[in-house]
Amino acid sequence: MKIHEFQAKALLRDYGVAVPKGAVAATVREAVQVADEIGYPVVVKAQIHAGGRGKGGGIKVAANRDELEAAARSIIGMKLRTPQTKPEGQHVHRVLIEEAMTPARELYLGITLDRKVGQVVVMASEAGGMEIEEVAAASPEKILRAYVDPTIGFLGFQGRELGFAMHLTWEQVRQTADLIARLVRLFEEKDCTLAEINPLVVTQDGRVLALDAKINFDDNALFRHPDIRALRDLDEEDPLEVKASETGVAYVKLDGFVGCMVNGAGLAMATMDVIKLMGGAPANFLDVGAASAERVASAFRVILSDPDVKSILVNIFGGIARGDTIATGIIEAVREVGLNLPLVVRLDGTRAEEGKRMLAESGLPIIVATDLLDGARKAVEAGQR
Amino acid sequence: MAILLDRSCRLVVQGITGREGSFHARVSREFGTNVVAGVTPGRGGSDVEGVPVFNTVEQAVRETGANTSLVSVPAAGVADAILEAADAGIRLIVCIADGVPTLDMVKVKPYLAKRGARLIGPNCPGVTSPGERARVGIMPTYMFRPGGVGVVSRSGTLTYEAVALLTEHGLGQSTAVGIGGDPVNGTNFIEVLTMFEADPETKAIVLVGEIGGTAEEDAAAFIKAHVTKPVVAFIAGRSAPPGRRMGHAGAIISGGTGTAESKVAALEDAGAVVVETHVKLGEAMASLLRERGISA
């Protein structure tokens, strides 16, 4: 789960990490109040989840009240397009107003999981403010790493080592090591998957603070963090994906025309691959999970509410979920939601034959495929017609 | 022989009084697996279809000599259940539960290493050795045949597909292992490949990977250096766009790493036959074995 920068900074403040003076505003009036209180110049930053906001005109500096009003007016309510948003852009509901500063130095600090090692890693670099992936690709030696021991935790010397390696003064090293330790604590206590501060700045007067903040959370751990769950912003998510997730169906909208319903994430991806191989394009990723009749019905509703879908391919390998149960679910769902698109079903596994017979005898216009290649071919052809 | 699981398996099912736990205990028994105990705290002294239920794993081990555990408990209790099994001296722990917080696994791993316990999963279909009649997990059993192909996969249903396709082409399996789709899992490709390479019964290996992370690239490097047996591989997710998590917490292409292209290239460079769709796994393995004059 992602959160906004202003929410991330509020969390940082809770953990004692220094951030610039500032507050969020939803209207121009609020923006003026905040800026007047902070004092000019200020930065006006659009609050959307996607990165690359500056490039799309979502971040502006205002030297006085007139400039602030103009900036806030242009950003609040805009459809901000960045390389990371959907092509039509993301609606901006709020801006973060902060004191503007010219930092003496811009560093990078990021905490994430190193899957290879199975441990949390702290990454730091003197090349802050840039795309860190680019730094990692071009000059990996510029990224310093320290691992968090799962039983002992992050240690003081590790923070000092990172600080000295970035050529900070002793006073700045002390602040940085303290800041890193606090950020690690936040990461572990709130089950983060990413806590990134880019840039981490040293101000002209030698203070170390988080100028930007990006924090993502482990969806699997949200059950124990009601405070984090409350920060979820549904406006930032695809409404169909939200609808699907409410019924335990994993759905990701894609840009093709063959709607797919599959059990198992790996098989769902493999099914998308076969559709592509057959000259088509998948309209979605959909893992119906343990395929009960209710889940199948809800998955159908989601697929059918996508106007881009021209045909549907259901691919189920019944292991634990039995073919006859799945067939019942499909038949019930089709009767309930109605169907005006070609539907191709490939059923295999436990009780597949019974399931196929039930589909054939249902009297519904369902195309039963002999195998997956056959099914994908038929679904692609039907969708192109 | 086979790997991980053989006839010496004495299985305790943690969460046996739950719907999934009791169902899979029954399927495993019907397959011929020795299910000796169940554990549900507070339900000790009862039984599930004749399998005695204990309050703790320690008790189950003491009373029944259980040496293998299936963890089928809700995600919030998974770390605790795994640690309990390891502490009780269980050597092989298979965790089928999904939705486990990643940082829980980060903390569990070093403890398991200290206790000398091996974990398969979480979020995995488990392990099945058909020739040994041993099944721990949730795999359907009807498509298995005893034989010489080892299967290792990050995905559940794709494991079943791979096994069914092998059987369809007259190729039996030594052991099928689903290592799970989470970012941090107990056992990785390399560990399973090491076991398959050392197992005399295993003549060839099917590896099923997916986008995200670098586990397949690491496996490829290991295959190149250490695996002499023929390998057929498939990577799911060639058509997946970057930055979107595809169901599995681990299946996400981010920062240019974890793409299908890089995994396929690495595996091909290691001498594996990589099929463009999983549907071809059985066919490709049959023709590769014919080519090499190996019977499996």
Side-chain angles (χ1 to χ4, degrees):
Chain A
M1 192 189 98
K2 293 179 177 177
I3 60 172
H4 290 292
E5 178 193 359
F6 76 91
Q7 297 168 321
K9 282 182 168 159
L11 264 176
L12 291 179
R13 245 182 236 118
D14 288 349
Y15 275 82
V17 172
V19 295
K21 268 187 289 180
V24 72
T27 62
V28 177
R29 235 183 86 155
E30 281 175 23
V32 172
Q33 277 173 1
V34 172
D36 283 354
E37 200 166 305
I38 295 170
Y40 295 88
V42 293
V43 189
V44 185
K45 302 173 90 176
Q47 295 299 290
I48 61 169
H49 286 179
R53 292 170 297 173
K55 291 170 196 148
I59 299 179
K60 287 180 175 159
V61 180
N64 51 51
R65 191 185 282 185
D66 287 347
E67 284 183 27
L68 172 90
E69 279 182 358
R73 198 163 285 124
S74 76
I75 296 175
I76 296 172
M78 83 185 289
K79 279 265 187 185
L80 179 53
R81 269 178 291 187
T82 86
Q84 292 177 27
T85 59
K86 290 173 288 183
E88 68 269 27
Q90 177 65 39
H91 193 254
V92 181
H93 295 282
R94 283 169 297 237
V95 290
L96 175 63
I97 313 285
E98 281 185 343
E99 56 176 321
M101 51 178 69
T102 318
R105 292 192 61 192
E106 297 195 22
L107 311 170
Y108 172 88
L109 179 64
I111 305 181
T112 189
L113 174 81
D114 185 329
R115 290 169 62 164
K116 207 174 209 167
V117 183
Q119 286 183 8
V120 174
V121 61
V122 179
M123 295 177 294
S125 175
E126 291 185 81
M130 302 162 60
E131 291 289 339
I132 200 67
E133 280 92 356
E134 284 167 24
V135 178
S139 34
E141 75 285 352
K142 283 192 183 156
I143 298 180
L144 311 161
R145 286 182 171 77
Y147 285 88
V148 182
D149 185 290
T151 45
I152 301 178
F154 190 74
L155 299 168
F157 77 88
Q158 293 180 295
R160 295 195 297 275
E161 279 181 359
L162 291 173
F164 281 117
M166 290 191 286
H167 305 99
L168 297 169
T169 66
W170 169 227
E171 182 42 41
Q172 293 161 5
V173 167
R174 275 167 47 172
Q175 291 182 55
T176 305
D178 177 66
L179 186 149
I180 296 174
R182 290 170 186 275
L183 194 63
V184 170
R185 193 158 66 79
L186 189 163
F187 186 96
E188 294 197 311
E189 286 181 358
K190 300 293 182 192
D191 281 289
C192 299
T193 54
L194 176 75
E196 188 177 68
I197 295 177
N198 189 21
L200 174 74
V201 298
V202 181
T203 61
Q204 303 286 353
D205 56 354
R207 288 175 300 134
V208 176
L209 52 83
L211 197 59
D212 198 0
K214 186 168 154 187
I215 304 182
N216 298 346
F217 302 88
D218 181 357
D219 292 346
N220 287 349
L222 290 176
F223 70 86
R224 59 189 175 202
H225 302 296
D227 56 331
I228 301 299
R229 232 168 31 227
L231 301 178
R232 186 173 175 191
D233 183 353
L234 293 179
D235 279 340
E236 291 277 342
E237 298 178 34
D238 185 288
L240 283 180
E241 293 178 16
V242 173
K243 194 166 139 192
S245 72
E246 282 163 5
T247 56
V249 172
Y251 172 89
V252 178
K253 170 90 178 82
L254 302 172
D255 51 13
F257 60 89
V258 181
C260 336
M261 184 197 308
V262 188
N263 65 330
L267 186 58
M269 280 189 276
T271 304
M272 287 157 45
D273 297 346
V274 174
I275 289 169
K276 201 133 197 185
L277 212 61
M278 291 294 164
N284 62 272
F285 163 94
L286 192 154
D287 173 12
V288 71
S292 64
E294 300 77 40
R295 288 246 187 113
V296 169
S298 124
F300 259 113
R301 266 181 237 115
V302 170
I303 292 174
L304 288 171
S305 26
D306 174 2
D308 298 334
V309 170
K310 302 290 179 247
S311 63
I312 301 173
L313 173 63
V314 174
N315 181 25
I316 306 277
F317 192 103
I320 301 325
R322 297 179 342 198
D324 49 350
T325 313
I326 292 152
T328 308
I330 294 171
I331 293 165
E332 277 175 12
V334 168
R335 291 214 169 111
E336 184 203 318
V337 299
L339 184 72
N340 44 13
L341 295 173
L343 167 64
V344 182
V345 179
R346 179 259 178 169
L347 260 186
D348 206 335
T350 314
R351 298 222 197 182
E353 292 312 313
E354 285 99 315
K356 284 191 215 172
R357 202 179 48 240
M358 289 167 65
L359 292 175
E361 289 169 0
S362 68
L364 294 166
I366 296 171
I367 304 164
V368 181
T370 52
D371 57 36
L372 176 56
L373 290 181
D374 176 57
R377 191 179 304 116
K378 283 174 174 160
V380 171
E381 280 169 11
Q384 280 167 337
R385 227 172 271 144
Chain B
M1 274 301 287
I3 67 164
L4 290 165
L5 270 189
D6 57 29
R7 283 173 202 278
S8 68
C9 165
R10 295 176 68 78
L11 181 64
V12 51
V13 176
Q14 293 176 258
I16 195 166
T17 51
R19 199 164 50 91
E20 296 243 321
S22 61
F23 177 77
H24 291 295
R26 190 190 319 134
V27 176
S28 287
R29 278 170 85 188
E30 285 166 3
F31 193 60
T33 309
N34 195 6
V35 181
V36 297
V39 169
T40 299
R43 300 285 286 274
S46 61
D47 73 288
V48 171
E49 296 173 28
V51 177
V53 178
F54 298 90
N55 283 322
T56 67
V57 182
E58 187 273 329
Q59 228 178 345
V61 169
R62 187 152 35 85
E63 302 280 330
T64 68
N67 56 18
T68 305
S69 146
L70 175 72
V71 175
S72 176
V73 304
V78 160
D80 190 32
I82 292 172
L83 295 174
E84 182 183 354
D87 190 68
I90 297 283
R91 302 307 294 266
L92 177 67
I93 304 163
V94 174
C95 178
I96 60 171
D98 65 351
V100 180
T102 303
L103 289 183
D104 284 6
M105 292 312 303
V106 168
K107 291 199 184 80
V108 160
K109 276 197 87 162
Y111 188 83
L112 292 178
K114 205 168 71 186
R115 306 294 303 199
R118 172 172 296 289
L119 172 71
I120 309 285
N123 192 13
C124 82
V127 185
T128 303
S129 299
E132 305 288 327
R133 314 308 297 165
R135 169 201 188 258
V136 178
I138 58 171
M139 292 190 201
T141 53
Y142 77 91
M143 70 284 182
F144 278 96
R145 297 290 177 276
V149 182
V151 177
V152 59
S153 167
R154 237 168 98 181
S155 133
T157 28
L158 276 177
T159 313
Y160 317 158
E161 289 265 13
V163 169
L165 289 160
L166 289 168
T167 296
E168 206 175 284
H169 285 82
L171 300 168
Q173 306 83 36
S174 53
T175 303
V177 186
I179 60 173
D182 280 2
V184 176
N185 52 17
T187 297
N188 62 26
F189 278 129
I190 292 175
E191 291 165 284
V192 179
L193 288 169
T194 306
M195 291 183 251
F196 277 141
E197 177 67 15
D199 173 38
E201 199 191 321
T202 302
K203 308 291 185 218
I205 301 163
V206 166
L207 183 149
V208 180
E210 59 189 36
I211 53 159
T214 56
E216 289 79 4
E217 285 87 338
D218 300 340
F222 181 82
I223 290 169
K224 194 170 181 174
H226 302 289
V227 176
T228 59
K229 298 177 181 178
V231 178
V232 174
F234 169 68
I235 302 294
R238 286 191 198 216
S239 59
R244 310 300 308 275
R245 165 181 156 168
M246 293 288 147
H248 284 162
I252 181 166
I253 299 168
S254 52
T257 64
T259 65
E261 289 72 25
S262 116
K263 293 169 191 295
V264 170
L267 285 161
E268 281 178 342
D269 177 58
V273 172
V274 185
V275 291
E276 56 183 359
T277 160
H278 69 280
V279 179
K280 308 269 186 208
L281 279 169
E283 195 182 312
M285 181 56 88
S287 73
L288 180 62
L289 292 178
R290 257 197 315 277
E291 222 171 83
R292 304 250 178 117
I294 299 168
S295 65

